[in-house]
Amino acid sequence: MKVVAVQWDCRFGDPEFNFNRAMELMEREPGDIYVLPELCLSGYNFNDIREVEDLSEESHGNYARRFMDFSLERNCYISYGFAEKVSEGVYNSANLIGPDGLIGTYRKIHLFNRETLFFLPGDRSLKVYDTPIGKLGLMVCFDWFFPESARILALQGTELILHPSNLVLSWCPDAMRYHALWNGVYTATSNRIGKEDRGGRLIEYIGRSIIYSPQGELLAEASYDDEGACSAELVLSLAREKKLNRYNDRIQSRQPEFYSEISVI
Ligand code: ACM
């Protein structure tokens, strides 16, 4: 089972360009599961809420249907980030699509920086999708900063975490190793490259799309600034083995009765 993390310089405000670029890069690297960046159709560095609304679509919208066509034609799965239009506003969401259509939509719960000005905070729990290809979990970019995100997905049996991102904090590609290791899951992060200079605010993205094994081994990594993809062959059943040794198990050795949330700050 081959997972492919795709990265490119998403062009702000040009979903058609971005969709076609995604298609070209996916066609170049055949795979079973693709992960594309966060907000990969719209771009990220919004000036105001009107731009967010103009560049949003429903979870079953036009681009979702076009991704579904690709997925059906190639018999593959695709996760991608997009601005999800609902009647009350817009979520920073990720769709998971398979040959039978839309499997699920995750709405980012940990909004980063100015996203808090434009997006509704996610209103659904992180959850695993039990698909014919394996148990897949979704989280979006800054969710990585909260260890609970990957843990909650792992506790539900997730074998592979798909992680569409627009990373600006340089720690993430290395930190994902520990989400993989601590939880005994595969992780595949897709992060865009390039810069967006809008309204006097420059954002520079760090590329380095990255895939780890449940033992925290680096399986594949893309460059800081080249468009393209990185990919790896995964055996998802390996993510069901949580033992570290005869006496310790990533899940069973936890001591949840001592983890109750006591706030001291
Ligand atoms: C981020 O959550 N896009 C940094």
Side-chain angles (χ1 to χ4, degrees):
M1 212 266 326
K2 182 174 165 189
V3 67
V4 182
V6 181
Q7 63 179 37
W8 73 95
D9 188 355
C10 302
R11 189 183 286 174
F12 186 88
D14 196 343
E16 194 57 28
F17 169 87
N18 290 321
F19 179 80
N20 289 328
R21 196 77 190 110
M23 288 290 116
E24 278 170 41
L25 295 169
M26 289 160 76
E27 269 161 16
R28 212 183 277 175
E29 184 76 32
D32 302 298
I33 305 186
Y34 291 93
V35 53
L36 311 181
E38 176 186 18
L39 294 167
C40 72
L41 298 168
S42 56
Y44 182 82
N45 194 0
F46 298 100
N47 280 330
D48 53 48
I49 204 146
R50 177 168 307 192
E51 287 182 344
V52 180
E53 284 165 0
D54 287 349
L55 292 166
S56 63
E57 74 165 20
E58 285 91 7
S59 58
H60 283 87
N62 167 45
Y63 288 103
R65 284 195 297 274
R66 291 166 71 187
F67 278 124
M68 286 178 213
D69 291 343
F70 183 90
S71 167
L72 180 61
E73 203 175 288
R74 307 290 167 113
N75 193 31
C76 66
Y77 291 76
I78 306 170
S79 59
Y80 70 96
F82 71 110
E84 183 196 358
K85 186 198 297 261
V86 296
S87 53
E88 314 79 57
V90 182
Y91 290 101
N92 181 344
S93 295
N95 265 351
L96 177 62
I97 281 175
D100 294 330
L102 181 64
I103 296 168
T105 305
Y106 165 68
R107 297 171 168 166
K108 184 178 186 180
I109 56 176
H110 302 104
L111 296 174
F112 181 68
N113 205 340
R114 293 179 79 250
E115 290 170 37
T116 51
L117 305 177
F118 306 135
F119 291 100
L120 299 167
D123 62 346
R124 298 172 181 170
S125 301
L126 292 142
K127 75 174 263 219
V128 62
Y129 298 99
D130 196 355
T131 75
I133 205 166
K135 294 190 175 166
L136 308 179
L138 288 173
M139 62 187 207
V140 173
C141 203
F142 191 49
D143 286 330
W144 75 269
F145 205 86
F146 301 87
E148 293 86 348
S149 308
R151 176 67 94 201
I152 294 295
L153 289 172
L155 288 173
Q156 295 175 70
T158 296
E159 294 158 349
L160 166 62
I161 295 178
L162 300 164
H163 182 215
S165 298
N166 275 184
L167 294 170
V168 290
L169 301 177
S170 61
W171 307 293
C172 177
D174 303 313
M176 289 308 292
R177 175 193 298 273
Y178 298 98
H179 291 302
L181 176 65
W182 292 334
N183 293 297
V185 295
Y186 286 99
T187 65
T189 299
S190 159
N191 182 34
R192 60 161 295 174
I193 61 163
K195 296 179 184 161
E196 280 181 320
D197 191 356
R198 306 195 69 253
R201 286 177 311 275
L202 174 69
I203 299 185
E204 186 162 350
Y205 303 96
I206 62 160
R208 295 188 63 203
S209 293
I210 205 153
I211 303 171
Y212 287 105
S213 80
Q215 300 297 342
E217 298 147 331
L218 177 63
L219 298 180
E221 179 173 355
S223 85
Y224 166 76
D225 54 2
D226 283 331
E227 296 199 328
C230 67
S231 65
E233 285 291 339
L234 315 185
V235 180
L236 289 189
S237 58
L238 295 181
R240 286 183 222 139
E241 176 54 69
K242 302 299 186 189
K243 282 196 191 324
L244 281 178
N245 56 47
R246 193 166 159 199
Y247 302 103
N248 299 115
D249 178 289
R250 290 170 175 84
I251 302 300
Q252 299 308 325
S253 301
R254 297 169 67 246
Q255 303 295 328
E257 66 272 33
F258 296 113
Y259 302 159
S260 58
E261 300 219 14
I262 302 166
S263 290
V264 290
I265 49 173

